[in-house]
Amino acid sequence: LVLAVNAGSSSLKISLFRRADDAANPALLLSSSTSSIFTPPVKFKFSFVAPQHRSLNEVVDSIHNHASAFTHFLACLEEEASVDPNDIKHIAHRVVHGGDYISPVIISEESYHHIKRLSDLAPLHNGSALSVIESAIRALPHAKSIAFFDSAFHKDLPTHVATYAINQQVAQERGLKKYGFHGLSYAFILREVAAHLNKAPDTVNIIALHIGSGASMCAIRNGQSIDTSMGLTPLSGLPGATRAGDIDASLIFHYTSRSPARMSHDPSISKEVKVTEAEDILNFKSGWKALTGTADFKEITEKADTSTTMSRTADPNTLAFRIMLDRILHFAGAYHLALHGDVDALIFAGGVGERSAELRRAVGEAAVCLGFAAIDETKNSQVNDDEGIIVDIGRGDGRKRMLVCHTDEQLEMARECS
């Protein structure tokens, strides 16, 4: 058995697979999700593929961090599924930032401390992944814990794309370059889109969007990442639920200035901004939530004017929606040029990408001018009803495809374990 563990900033998703003869298709046995870990009530779901078993959907007061969420899952695994923990041979952990690790590694003391040192570069995720890794090693010492890195997919980024225009001696000494993230999702998207198009993965050219509470985009040429919107950390690029996305680097100094009107070099007004404070503001106190008061993009779109007529607006929900759309179009256009217009498909994935018909419609209306298929409104509105991994939402007019991919990072890890 393979346990695939995906620790988010405030969530924990776990899937249990049985290794099959066909390594590309391990059999899913059950899955679990824990949400709102730090903002009670904590919601816990536990469901089986086989219909004869009962599913759980409950509030659990005993969960207060990722470690206790993992412990609760293991208890349910024994009590509800009658799974012997000794049958679990591999535990695959999603780790956002791997630094110079460009392939999965077995968790050892060395690799554990390497991941720990990188926690400052992925403060929303690496710390939570480490706490679950610790719990897994304690609870299942016989199983082999393996770290799979989101940054590894982007290991072949062209040098000019990965390099920042700063002193290169300092950059190389400190590893200051674009790494990129959401790699497990992009690997899954690439594999599934290639199969859908009946093409070899190393011949596929796509623009992929992983839009969730963390959001990024990726340009893939001949099966390799050639550019992506996140950089040294997951903070850059598109805004997210609580992340600012791309900003002028000096903004943070103005934002924290003691003078409400301006930044000043006057010591009585200026303020020393520590890295932790800046990261806290830009990672946790920005994004859609800072604009609207909610991190729920569905709630935002329900209140927003999602039409593409760009009249001035004072409504925060409409503003948040338009900011997201604007940034997506910015990267989509750039990536279309980077791929020289030779693009097989534009793909939506992630919680928002897969569920927001409004965002897909708005992006689709703009992308028609680049030769992408116009979106079929019926198909677009029924994506959540389609059980396929890939859903074509275009009108089928032979132009560049508009697709939705129900991405599965846990399955991607289980495949690689197999």
Side-chain angles (χ1 to χ4, degrees):
L1 298 179
V2 177
L3 206 59
V5 182
N6 185 347
S9 56
S10 61
S11 65
L12 182 64
K13 298 176 184 177
I14 305 176
S15 299
L16 181 68
F17 296 89
R18 186 180 300 282
R19 294 171 72 172
D21 293 336
D22 180 3
N25 292 293
L28 175 65
L29 302 179
L30 59 85
S31 59
S32 164
S33 67
T34 309
S35 58
S36 305
I37 289 177
F38 299 112
T39 54
V42 178
K43 298 170 185 174
F44 177 78
K45 295 180 180 179
F46 189 90
S47 57
F48 296 84
V49 172
Q52 63 266 30
H53 295 282
R54 77 182 184 106
S55 297
L56 300 177
N57 187 353
E58 58 192 12
V59 171
V60 181
D61 295 331
S62 62
I63 296 176
H64 48 85
N65 55 28
H66 286 81
S68 56
F70 185 74
T71 300
H72 185 79
F73 167 81
L74 289 180
C76 287
L77 199 60
E78 288 194 71
E79 295 167 11
E80 301 292 334
S82 301
V83 171
D84 183 349
N86 291 314
D87 289 338
I88 298 171
K89 304 303 181 186
H90 295 88
I91 309 173
H93 298 271
R94 176 193 171 213
V95 178
V96 168
H97 211 313
D100 293 330
Y101 283 159
I102 58 173
S103 58
V105 298
I106 295 172
I107 300 295
S108 63
E109 187 172 348
E110 179 187 355
S111 58
Y112 175 88
H113 287 292
H114 177 83
I115 296 167
K116 191 171 184 177
R117 285 194 297 272
L118 292 166
S119 292
D120 285 344
L121 297 180
L124 287 175
H125 292 88
N126 267 31
S128 55
L130 284 168
S131 69
V132 176
I133 288 170
E134 290 173 1
S135 298
I137 291 172
R138 282 196 304 267
L140 305 167
H142 61 281
K144 189 178 291 184
S145 280
I146 306 168
F148 291 80
F149 302 103
D150 262 335
S151 49
F153 183 77
H154 308 287
K155 64 183 183 298
D156 296 314
L157 283 176
T159 302
H160 68 278
V161 172
T163 301
Y164 292 114
I166 58 175
N167 182 297
Q168 286 306 290
Q169 182 177 343
V170 175
Q172 290 167 15
E173 287 173 355
R174 302 187 183 187
L176 304 179
K177 64 177 184 177
K178 175 181 282 196
Y179 290 93
F181 305 98
H182 286 140
L184 287 166
S185 179
Y186 290 132
F188 182 89
I189 292 167
L190 172 63
R191 188 196 305 259
E192 295 298 333
V193 169
H196 180 79
L197 299 176
N198 198 27
K199 297 183 69 172
D202 62 1
T203 66
V204 170
N205 298 339
I206 56 176
I207 298 171
L209 292 71
H210 181 106
I211 312 295
S213 57
S216 73
M217 294 176 62
C218 183
I220 296 173
R221 180 170 60 211
N222 296 331
Q224 290 189 328
S225 170
I226 63 163
D227 204 351
T228 188
S229 57
M230 287 178 169
L232 172 69
T233 77
L235 178 58
S236 64
L238 300 174
T242 63
R243 288 188 185 123
D246 280 348
I247 60 166
D248 184 316
S250 65
L251 177 145
I252 192 65
F253 303 107
H254 293 266
Y255 189 100
T256 57
S257 172
R258 290 192 180 93
S259 168
R262 61 189 175 90
M263 184 179 83
S264 172
H265 294 284
D266 181 341
S268 66
I269 296 176
S270 63
K271 177 184 177 183
E272 180 182 353
V273 182
K274 304 211 177 334
V275 171
T276 51
E277 181 185 3
E279 288 199 325
D280 181 60
I281 292 168
L282 298 175
N283 275 295
F284 299 100
K285 297 176 180 175
S286 301
W288 321 321
K289 188 173 182 180
L291 293 165
T292 66
T294 179
D296 186 343
F297 198 79
K298 182 175 185 291
E299 182 181 334
I300 291 169
T301 55
E302 287 172 348
K303 296 177 179 177
D305 173 5
T306 60
S307 67
T308 52
T309 55
M310 292 299 173
S311 56
R312 295 180 69 87
T313 179
D315 174 62
N317 297 288
T318 301
L319 179 62
F321 183 87
R322 289 181 181 175
I323 287 174
M324 196 67 198
L325 174 61
D326 174 79
R327 297 340 183 235
I328 288 171
L329 298 183
H330 168 85
F331 284 105
Y335 292 167
H336 194 266
L337 284 172
L339 293 167
H340 302 159
D342 182 11
V343 184
D344 295 308
L346 186 148
I347 301 100
F348 298 90
V352 173
E354 294 170 34
R355 297 188 185 99
S356 180
E358 298 87 355
L359 185 63
R360 293 193 299 265
R361 182 188 306 115
V363 173
E365 287 181 14
V368 167
C369 72
L370 297 177
F372 287 93
I375 285 182
D376 182 302
E377 274 306 314
T378 301
K379 294 178 182 178
N380 189 39
S381 64
Q382 295 176 351
V383 164
N384 294 333
D385 300 327
D386 195 307
E387 295 183 358
I389 293 175
I390 299 291
V391 183
D392 192 326
I393 58 172
R395 291 184 182 167
D397 54 8
R399 307 180 89 198
K400 299 167 187 174
R401 306 286 190 91
M402 297 292 284
L403 307 175
V404 177
C405 176
H406 296 296
T407 192
D408 192 333
E409 292 152 320
Q410 290 96 281
L411 176 54
E412 185 61 28
M413 290 190 288
R415 281 169 166 169
E416 295 191 34
C417 270
S418 299

